Amino acid sequence: MGALFRLALFCFRFYGATIKALLPIDKGLRVKKAFYSFVLSGLMVFGSQNALASDHLSEADPWEGFNRTVFSFNEGLDRYVLKPATLGYKAVTPDLVETGVSNFFNNISDVGSLFNNILQGKIDPAVSDLARISFNTTFGLGGIIDVATPMGLERYDEDFGQTLGYWGVSSGPYVMLPFFGPSTVRDGVGLAVDSVTSPMNNVEDDSARYVLMALKAVDTRAGLLEAEKLITGDKYIFVREAYLQRREFSVNDGVVEDYDDDNF
Amino acid sequence: MKKSIIALAVAGALTAPMVAQADATLYGSLRLALVSNDGSELDLNDNVSRIGIKGSTELFSGAKAIFQFEEGVNAADGGWGAARLASIGVTGDFGTFNAGRQWSPFALWTVLPFHTGENTASTSTAGYITGVGALFHRLPNTMAYITPNMSGFQAAAVAIADNEGSGEDLDAYNLAAKYSAGGLMVAASLIQVDGNAGAATDINHVSVGVTYKADALYVGARYAETDNAGTETDQYSVVGKYTMGNTSLMASYSDTEANTDVYSLEVQQKLGKQAKVFAAYTDRDTTDGVEVGYRVDF
């Protein structure tokens, strides 16, 4: 983005110079000059802000070299294993079954959400999570049917990384985890805590647990198939920006401080 | 919801036109619960369903005559259940006189406020006592007087006159009072049963309860002590309920001297104005289980 603005700035300077060259010198020139320099300085401030923002982002990703290596490993894994498996899964299972599988895993992650809402002292969301789990597990036949959403109980999807963020822990450097994908130091710690406390981790039968984990991976990947089509440019940067923004959004429960309607 | 019973009115018009003149409301609540207790098979039960008719008609004096008839129904098996209510009375500035089979003030003020859940562990007969051959909550053969609400204060007296051969005109009575202000409610009740009546022994029962409601939170605690022919037993329960829009979270705990403590945790969800579902975890001394239920009122 910064580069783009620098380019725009260059064009504008060139344009300004051209105009200056073409314009006949008249008494209005002084005014026009003032106008152009005003616009230019404004653009320069804007551009430098953007330069700062991109500095900030590289600050968030000091381990970019390492991360890119892991990213290309993940990409390879995805290209040759996960994506084909997911496409195969989508091809053979009816949509109804896919929804059931998603609901099942969502119900399990609602348990984590419940604990994290409690840890964050958010009472109403915690009550809602508890109600969701209760109704989906019973009326929803073990979580396969999401009866709670039509009842008006929304999903919160809190995790321990968000709890740490809520407690004021900053995200730390961006890190690309092998197998698990984009994360930060904070969210990586959160992920570890979440997976230890998850009901899935407490399935005693090893093979059943591995099947569940594989199915969950495929289910998650299936959910990303549509989003993937939006990726443009450098995929690494796209994923990083998308991830960091989404996490900030989640930690603040959708209240983004910098957001301003006037920017649009 | 108030509904004139057209069918009854039509039937009444054919035989006795007077019946149709009082504005009667047909009401009911059908409740089912699916219970899965540890060590038992799955069971779809009726969960205290009832159907009733009630209403009032103006008297020449300006007071109102009131009537109510309510019968238990079994929504799981079909068919009528036990008798619940059958009473007629008069109500006005002076308070209410009511006679027949009716709720005791003991139950109304010191038991029902603590039945916030729908699951069987939180309701069933928790807090009820037996006397005169029946549970002391909906009493047959009674005459009652309830004072009007005097800036939050209300008192009631009920006497049972059943020819039990006790040699006494009054076999049992219940005195109760309650005071409510702001979100606070305190109530106390005294029951005395004559030993020669249906209960066969002298029973003295005292119960007190307090509830507090602040916004979304409702909490209550009650204590009861029964002296049954010299043997004293006591019981206490605490309940809490947190309501958030159409969702409620409820917890109840009760303990008796016989060490049968029962607790339950329940979530309720209103699906509409008159329909709700619940899912609950219950734990009794002997077993624990999961209950889900559905209820429709009309």
Side-chain angles (χ1 to χ4, degrees):
Chain A
M1 287 299 267
L4 193 66
F5 273 96
R6 270 193 287 274
L7 183 67
L9 195 65
F10 174 76
C11 292
F12 201 89
R13 271 199 194 124
F14 179 71
Y15 175 69
T18 316
I19 287 175
K20 197 171 154 188
L22 293 178
L23 274 174
I25 296 167
D26 59 22
K27 53 186 175 180
L29 181 63
R30 202 172 285 262
V31 180
K32 278 181 182 144
K33 239 180 150 175
F35 172 72
Y36 285 133
S37 63
F38 173 75
V39 170
L40 278 176
S41 63
L43 264 178
M44 268 188 264
V45 169
F46 197 58
S48 64
Q49 264 180 350
N50 247 277
L52 275 177
S54 77
D55 284 350
H56 166 72
L57 286 174
S58 62
E59 244 171 58
D61 189 10
W63 304 333
E64 184 166 344
F66 166 78
N67 284 344
R68 278 189 184 271
T69 311
V70 178
F71 183 71
S72 58
F73 166 75
N74 283 352
E75 281 291 278
L77 195 71
D78 183 56
R79 186 173 306 118
Y80 296 112
V81 184
L82 192 53
K83 195 172 177 182
T86 305
L87 292 174
Y89 163 78
K90 278 190 77 81
V92 296
T93 48
D95 285 354
L96 195 69
V97 176
E98 282 170 36
T99 309
V101 169
S102 290
N103 288 342
F104 176 78
F105 287 114
N106 284 347
N107 189 43
I108 287 174
S109 82
D110 277 347
V111 176
S113 179
L114 166 66
F115 287 121
N116 282 294
N117 269 319
I118 292 171
L119 289 175
Q120 294 177 37
K122 295 174 181 165
I123 298 184
D124 285 9
V127 170
S128 172
D129 279 337
L130 181 62
R132 283 187 62 87
I133 299 160
S134 305
F135 292 130
N136 283 344
T137 308
T138 54
F139 288 99
L141 307 177
I144 295 169
I145 307 166
D146 180 10
V147 294
T149 304
M151 282 181 188
L153 295 160
E154 65 172 301
R155 277 197 87 210
Y156 286 91
D157 212 9
E158 296 284 337
D159 55 51
F160 197 65
Q162 289 180 52
T163 300
L164 290 174
Y166 184 80
W167 288 346
V169 178
S170 66
S171 65
Y174 177 72
V175 56
M176 178 61 70
L177 298 172
F179 304 103
F180 296 100
S183 190
T184 59
V185 170
R186 178 192 72 200
D187 294 337
V189 171
L191 187 68
V193 172
D194 286 330
S195 56
V196 170
T197 54
S198 166
M200 249 171 73
N201 192 52
N202 297 311
V203 174
E204 297 208 347
D205 183 40
D206 278 348
S207 52
R209 190 169 69 244
Y210 296 144
V211 168
L212 277 177
M213 284 164 79
L215 189 58
K216 187 182 181 184
V218 168
D219 173 56
T220 310
R221 187 67 182 86
L224 293 172
L225 284 175
E226 283 301 308
E228 190 181 38
K229 291 175 186 162
L230 296 170
I231 297 179
T232 51
D234 185 347
K235 194 173 177 186
Y236 173 83
I237 291 178
F238 187 94
V239 169
R240 182 184 69 191
E241 301 305 287
Y243 176 79
L244 291 177
Q245 281 176 23
R246 192 177 65 87
R247 288 304 289 180
E248 193 190 344
F249 186 81
S250 305
V251 168
N252 297 322
D253 289 338
V255 183
V256 179
E257 280 173 28
D258 296 342
Y259 180 77
D260 186 353
D261 269 335
D262 297 342
N263 291 340
F264 291 92
Chain B
M1 194 161 79
K2 211 168 156 107
K3 255 185 217 155
S4 290
I5 329 160
I6 296 162
L8 192 68
V10 170
L14 295 174
T15 53
M18 291 301 284
V19 178
Q21 288 183 0
D23 189 17
T25 303
L26 173 67
Y27 68 91
S29 178
L30 298 185
R31 309 171 185 187
L32 286 170
L34 186 65
V35 180
S36 169
N37 276 332
D38 205 23
S40 316
E41 290 154 13
L42 199 63
D43 200 2
L44 181 70
N45 287 332
D46 173 68
N47 197 21
V48 221
S49 305
R50 77 284 309 259
I51 289 176
I53 299 166
K54 66 179 174 185
S56 64
T57 177
E58 200 115 327
L59 300 178
F60 297 131
S61 65
K64 270 184 186 169
I66 50 173
F67 58 92
Q68 184 166 17
F69 181 83
E70 184 179 301
E71 189 84 356
V73 289
N74 190 320
D77 297 345
W80 294 102
R84 286 174 63 90
L85 301 170
S87 68
I88 48 175
V90 187
T91 187
D93 302 338
F94 50 83
T96 304
F97 287 99
N98 206 22
R101 185 186 182 104
Q102 59 187 312
W103 284 103
S104 66
F106 152 73
L108 280 181
W109 296 345
T110 72
V111 178
L112 295 181
F114 308 92
H115 286 186
T116 51
E118 299 271 324
N119 71 77
T120 55
S122 71
T123 55
S124 64
T125 55
Y128 293 148
I129 63 156
T130 50
V132 202
L135 284 173
F136 224 99
H137 51 327
R138 287 183 297 270
L139 296 166
N141 309 92
T142 58
M143 295 164 284
Y145 170 68
I146 304 154
T147 69
N149 190 334
M150 297 172 288
S151 21
F153 181 78
Q154 228 177 342
V158 182
I160 299 182
D162 189 9
N163 190 6
E164 296 269 7
S166 61
E168 307 277 344
D169 284 334
L170 295 181
D171 302 292
Y173 63 87
N174 177 200
L175 302 174
K178 80 159 178 175
Y179 177 73
S180 39
L184 187 75
M185 192 281 292
V186 286
S189 146
L190 169 71
I191 293 170
Q192 287 207 316
V193 181
D194 192 280
N196 296 316
T201 47
D202 277 351
I203 299 174
N204 257 313
H205 180 86
V206 178
S207 60
V208 290
V210 55
T211 64
Y212 184 69
K213 186 170 175 21
D215 297 329
L217 189 69
Y218 176 87
V219 285
R222 73 181 294 270
Y223 175 78
E225 192 179 86
T226 312
D227 177 350
N228 193 334
T231 313
E232 282 189 8
T233 50
D234 59 2
Q235 184 198 47
Y236 67 87
S237 15
V238 285
V239 294
K241 188 172 186 175
Y242 183 81
T243 306
M244 185 189 81
N246 293 325
T247 312
S248 301
L249 176 65
M250 194 280 308
S252 75
Y253 176 77
S254 70
D255 188 26
T256 59
E257 201 153 36
N259 200 21
T260 50
D261 51 342
V262 178
Y263 66 86
S264 72
L265 188 65
E266 176 179 308
V267 282
Q268 295 172 4
Q269 178 75 21
K270 271 191 204 159
L271 300 179
K273 273 183 188 159
Q274 288 175 304
K276 66 172 159 183
V277 287
F278 75 87
Y281 171 76
T282 61
D283 191 307
R284 297 172 172 90
D285 257 6
T286 45
T287 184
D288 59 338
V290 172
E291 294 179 16
V292 294
Y294 180 40
R295 162 180 171 176
V296 181
D297 299 343
F298 59 92

